[in-house]
Amino acid sequence: MTNEAWLVFGLGNPGPRYESTRHNIGQMVIAELTHRIGVNLTRTKLRSNVGTSRLPSGSVPGVPGPRVVLATSTGYMNESGGPVRQLADFYSIDTDRIIAVHDDVDIAFDSIKAKVGGGEGGHNGLRSMTSALGTKNYPRIRAGVGRPMGRQDTADYVLKPFSKDERATLPMFISDIADAVEMYIVEGLEKVQLEYHSK
C-alpha cells in the first residue's frame, strides 16, 4: 500500500453567496468526502481549507487506505491555481495525484466524467490550475451541470443555485461524484470511466 498522498481539490468560490451555486459543486463534493471520512476542514496559511486523513482500504479490514488531502480555496475560482500549487509543494504531491473536482456545462446534469489533461473549456478555475502547475496533465472529475436554456449567459448560469428539480436529486449526485473520486484513487481512471461514462 503506497504512502503517497493524493490532493483532492474542490473548485468553487468562497462565502454564502456562492455556496449553493452550480459553480461550487466541487466544494460540495469535498464536504461530502470530509463527512464520510470524519475529518473537518481547517483554514490554513496556504490560502486553503484543508483536511487530511486516509480513505478506507476497501479490501483489507483494518488496513488504512490511501492518504488524502481534501481542500477548497479560501479565494475565488479564478485564483485556484495558487493554493493548489502551494498545497502540492507543502505535501510533496505529484501532479498526477492532484484531482480537480469541478462543474462542467458541456455535460448534462447528473452525469459524471473523468479524464486526465485536456482543455479547460472556458473554466477559469481549471485555467488557473493549469497555469500554476505548468501542465494540463492532472486528473479531473467533471460534474455535469448542463447548459442554460435560451439565451442566458453561461457565466451567470453557473453562479446561480440549482433548480428545484435539480435540488431534489442533488444529494445523490454529490454522493455519486464522491464515489467517483474514491474510485479514481483506489482503482484508477479506467475503472471510473467504465462505471460512469456509459450512464
Side-chain angles (χ1 to χ4, degrees), residues 79-102:
E79 303 168 336
S80 300
V84 171
R85 176 78 269 173
Q86 287 183 290
L87 288 165
D89 291 344
F90 184 82
Y91 290 101
S92 300
I93 299 173
D94 292 335
T95 305
D96 63 355
R97 287 174 170 262
I98 299 172
I99 301 176
V101 185
H102 65 91

Side-chain angles (χ1 to χ4, degrees), residues 47-73:
R47 293 185 287 168
S48 302
N49 304 301
V50 180
T52 62
S53 189
R54 287 187 179 273
L55 294 179
S57 67
S59 56
V60 184
V63 176
R67 184 174 177 233
V68 292
V69 178
L70 305 174
T72 62
S73 176

Side-chain angles (χ1 to χ4, degrees), residues 76-145:
Y76 286 94
M77 178 75 81
N78 61 354
E79 303 168 336
S80 300
V84 171
R85 176 78 269 173
Q86 287 183 290
L87 288 165
D89 291 344
F90 184 82
Y91 290 101
S92 300
I93 299 173
D94 292 335
T95 305
D96 63 355
R97 287 174 170 262
I98 299 172
I99 301 176
V101 185
H102 65 91
D103 61 302
D104 195 317
V105 296
D106 292 323
I107 304 173
F109 175 74
D110 205 19
S111 296
I112 301 167
K113 305 287 185 185
K115 69 175 182 177
V116 175
E120 288 86 27
H123 197 292
N124 289 332
L126 294 178
R127 185 179 293 120
S128 179
M129 282 186 61
T130 295
S131 176
L133 294 173
T135 180
K136 296 181 178 183
N137 293 325
Y138 51 88
R140 300 108 183 266
I141 300 294
R142 305 158 65 200
V145 296

